[in-house]
Amino acid sequence: MKKPVYLTPEGFRRLQEELNHLKTTKRQEISADFEQALEEGDLRENAGYDEARRAMWQNEARIAQLEDLLARAVIVEGNGSYDQVALGCQVELETESGERLSLAIVGSHEADIFSGKISDESPLGQALLGKKVGDVVEIRGKKGAQVYTILEIKPL
């Protein structure tokens, strides 16, 4: 049995929207590309036809992947009390140098470090889970240890 996919309500909605786009708009675009390629004649040496087939396979593979993810989705909306770090929380951290970070703890399929979203399965995410305001978390890496102090836990 496959493991559950943890998503925030926003992440679940985004995946649903992508799936809907791929099933409707993208399929129509690919169908139009097929029609154009067929009008060009001989399919054996038709780059447009080959490209349309490749696009169709990629689209259908992504549709299958999204359907699988959504079927296993478990929606998380924080831990309610926000007294400890959990999936679906926003965490305010401070480094030893005084730099402040704001990170959302999300499932691995929503993680995007550039948007401040880290996976609960990442080293920092794992270290933060279950911690409370005031706790200090140390992450050891190739470049030494990073120390973070939890300043605040709030809903996403």
Side-chain angles (χ1 to χ4, degrees):
M1 184 168 170
K2 293 182 177 182
K3 68 181 195 173
V5 175
Y6 296 103
L7 296 169
T8 61
E10 175 193 344
F12 185 80
R13 181 190 50 75
R14 273 197 327 261
L15 291 181
Q16 284 182 316
E17 287 173 359
E18 181 184 355
L19 179 61
N20 185 48
H21 171 76
L22 294 176
K23 283 183 159 184
T24 57
T25 307
K26 190 68 175 175
R27 277 182 174 165
Q28 289 172 351
E29 291 170 1
I30 292 169
S31 179
D33 291 344
F34 268 118
E35 287 179 25
Q36 183 178 354
L38 289 172
E39 289 173 6
E40 293 174 11
D42 188 6
L43 297 180
R44 290 175 291 167
E45 296 182 19
N46 188 323
Y49 179 76
D50 291 339
E51 185 58 36
R53 276 187 14 184
R54 194 172 4 268
M56 181 189 68
W57 291 334
Q58 289 172 343
N59 191 58
E60 295 306 313
R62 181 63 178 156
I63 287 171
Q65 180 185 37
L66 288 171
E67 288 176 337
D68 177 58
L69 291 175
L70 292 169
R72 296 184 289 131
V74 174
I75 309 296
V76 294
E77 298 189 56
N79 62 6
S81 67
Y82 306 108
D83 60 344
Q84 65 181 14
V85 178
L87 224 76
C89 287
Q90 186 81 20
V91 183
E92 301 293 325
L93 304 171
E94 185 174 59
T95 65
E96 286 181 303
S97 64
E99 181 184 351
R100 290 182 69 127
L101 299 169
S102 180
L103 299 172
I105 309 296
V106 297
S108 59
H109 292 281
E110 277 187 88
D112 178 6
I113 191 65
F114 299 111
S115 297
K117 297 178 180 180
I118 64 168
S119 168
D120 63 322
E121 297 175 11
S122 70
L124 181 55
Q126 287 179 346
L128 289 170
L129 289 176
K131 300 293 192 266
K132 298 180 180 198
V133 172
D135 286 352
V136 175
V137 176
E138 183 176 332
I139 305 295
R140 296 197 179 277
K142 293 178 183 177
K143 297 181 179 180
Q146 290 279 13
V147 178
Y148 302 94
T149 302
I150 300 173
L151 301 176
E152 185 179 3
I153 305 167
K154 56 188 178 183
L156 282 179

